[in-house]
Amino acid sequence: MSLFSAQLHPGRALGFLVLGASLHDILTRLKREPQRFPKLDLVFTPKDPVKSQIHLGLPANGLRLRFDGPEQRLRLIEVIDFTKNHIFLKPANDKERDLVRPPSGSSPQISDAPSGPTFKHIYQRFLGPTYDGEYIPSNPSQGIYVLSYPGVAFTFSMKASEFTPSKDIISLLSSSAIPGSMAVFNGDSWAQARNKMWTEVLPSIKTFTPLAKGKDVYPDEVSLVKIHGRGKLQVFRKWSNNYFWIILGDTTPQQLVAELGPPDAIYRKNDQRMYIHKLRAASNNMARPNGNDLRRQDDLTDTDQSSAHTASDGYDSNEDAVEDDLIANVSGECFYNYFHLGFDVLVSTPTAPSPPPPSQGKDGTASPSIPEATFKNNSADRLVATKVILHANVPGSYPFNRHRRCRWEISYLSPELVSAAGGSGVVDSETKFPVIEASLREEWKSIYASDSEAKQKQRGMVLNRGWGDSPGSSCELLGGWEETGGSVMPGIGKKFDGSEDSTTTLYGFPGLVFEVLKNGYVSAVTVF
């Protein structure tokens, strides 16, 4: 195994590990180098994987990465073993400084190598003087002393009896004291940063100079997708107030590529497992089914949601293969897979839009800010966006790390309605499905003849993704975790065989299909 060597950028990054990067991007990058990063430990809270912190441990490299739950962005980088890495600082117009001199042998661990940098080395040479630190008690007799710099902090073990507020930092710490860990964070000091670390808006990764040296120009990430009903989605950019609209049945493939760039992959839709339900629904009409009848039922029962047979770890290697002429002239139904944005778009011939929510009125234009379709073309064979699948990338779910997490909210549900259903005023990607279900049932109850009809239409359908022969299974996407302990990623390193790890339930509402996990969180939502 090669030693992990990285330049320290205080407050921004440790090598290619940049604060603000997504969990999906970091995991994908680490998995490309299994010899360098042989073991990955993902730790999360199974009952609440969406709102609680996510820890990614690299035990062979002495690192631990911490991500927030809702956005899944890297918030904190910790070095917990200085013998398993080589960290250096390269100030402008100065020579490189090692935090710990790397061993000269081929093995990264040498018995006589120092276990970490000394306080004297940090304070005198590596980073220089700083203000007095902060003592944080762990118990009545023991605590840690935090030596803090802008964007970097070191922790030293200290007995409570050794700490005196009147003493300066030189008097408190021995020159040979070795820190237990180092943290890289965004902020002027650890005391100032730790209270807002998990919720603050981090600087754009595109502004990080080492990454901005390339000539590639790509749009900002998608931070939020607002679902307005009737197949209209408002897509917001990260780090700006810019947004654009995807109008199902109207937005063309060319417009998608202009706004989002070429897809990471194109997947031909071919799943026929739900065909029997399409025929049953059509037979109830007492007439011969047509293509649109089957297609509308397909929106409710389609299990072939985007790249169910495609792994994302190599998505960037396909960029050169996606040519503009292929995008412009693709024939037949297919998905545009945007793994790095967190969603897929079905491109097919036009279908009638889903009905407008009752709260928007009969024409669905209660809000003047919601645009109407702009491209009027009644050609039956033209290709447009007809469905969007937004992925939550929930740790522990079957498709974990196939897509980046995409946050969404249903904007046509009023705060009063959501609060009455037990929510916090808005239904979004962090809301548990019972609140979503109660809110939507109340919104759509007027279109059903009775409560029994509504429950019949909205009942769940169990889906097991582990029974397929998909080469994109989680076992293949995230390997090398077989020996991890504690609350680690369930199902990693074993085959999904129909257990609850791979079983989800589909619930349909007008214009929406939710794929719900056992813990009540939504794994994916399909908008049609």
Side-chain angles (χ1 to χ4, degrees), residues 364-385:
T365 57
S367 173
S369 62
I370 302 177
E372 284 299 301
T374 56
F375 185 70
K376 304 298 183 181
N377 187 336
N378 295 322
S379 174
D381 58 352
R382 68 187 178 97
L383 294 177
V384 292

Side-chain angles (χ1 to χ4, degrees), residues 19-48:
L19 295 176
S22 70
L23 175 62
H24 172 264
D25 289 345
I26 294 292
L27 271 175
T28 302
R29 172 67 185 268
L30 293 173
K31 279 187 55 60
R32 290 183 194 151
E33 302 182 66
Q35 297 300 321
R36 194 181 183 196
F37 306 103
K39 192 174 181 62
L40 308 175
D41 292 343
L42 190 74
V43 183
F44 61 95
T45 305
K47 292 184 178 180
D48 195 9

Side-chain angles (χ1 to χ4, degrees), residues 153-338:
F154 297 86
T155 61
F156 295 84
S157 178
M158 180 176 288
K159 294 180 180 179
S161 58
E162 297 174 348
F163 175 73
T164 303
S166 59
K167 287 186 178 181
D168 59 47
I169 189 172
I170 302 295
S171 303
L172 285 172
L173 292 174
S174 167
S175 62
S176 59
I178 295 176
S181 65
M182 181 186 81
V184 182
F185 57 91
N186 180 60
D188 293 331
S189 69
W190 178 252
Q192 175 263 340
R194 67 169 181 260
N195 293 327
K196 61 177 184 177
M197 180 183 302
W198 307 105
T199 57
E200 68 175 336
V201 178
L202 295 171
S204 170
I205 298 176
K206 294 170 65 174
T207 64
F208 181 52
T209 304
L211 295 182
K213 291 181 179 179
K215 296 181 180 180
D216 293 338
V217 178
Y218 52 93
D220 283 332
E221 297 176 9
V222 170
S223 60
L224 179 68
V225 176
K226 286 189 176 183
I227 303 169
H228 288 274
R230 211 184 182 193
K232 297 177 182 180
L233 299 94
Q234 191 176 13
V235 184
F236 288 84
R237 300 286 193 189
K238 187 68 176 176
W239 301 296
S240 72
N241 295 322
N242 297 329
Y243 64 86
F244 65 95
W245 290 86
I246 295 178
I247 302 179
L248 302 183
D250 179 70
T251 300
T252 65
Q254 290 81 2
Q255 290 173 320
L256 288 174
V257 173
E259 291 287 354
L260 303 172
D264 301 314
I266 291 179
Y267 174 69
R268 303 291 174 179
K269 178 176 173 294
N270 58 7
D271 193 350
Q272 301 297 325
R273 285 175 289 178
M274 307 304 292
Y275 188 68
I276 186 172
H277 295 282
K278 304 170 192 175
L279 293 179
R280 177 178 57 80
S283 66
N284 292 336
N285 294 332
M286 303 294 293
R288 182 178 180 84
N290 58 43
N292 280 339
D293 292 333
L294 297 182
R295 189 182 302 277
R296 299 313 298 166
Q297 183 65 15
D298 174 66
D299 289 327
L300 293 176
T301 60
D302 179 22
T303 62
D304 188 19
Q305 295 183 356
S306 75
S307 57
H309 304 282
T310 307
S312 68
D313 283 331
Y315 74 79
D316 55 346
S317 64
N318 294 329
E319 291 179 356
D320 295 336
V322 182
E323 302 291 345
D324 290 342
D325 58 343
L326 175 62
I327 296 168
N329 299 296
V330 63
S331 60
E333 253 183 20
C334 67
F335 279 101
Y336 279 14
N337 299 138
Y338 288 96

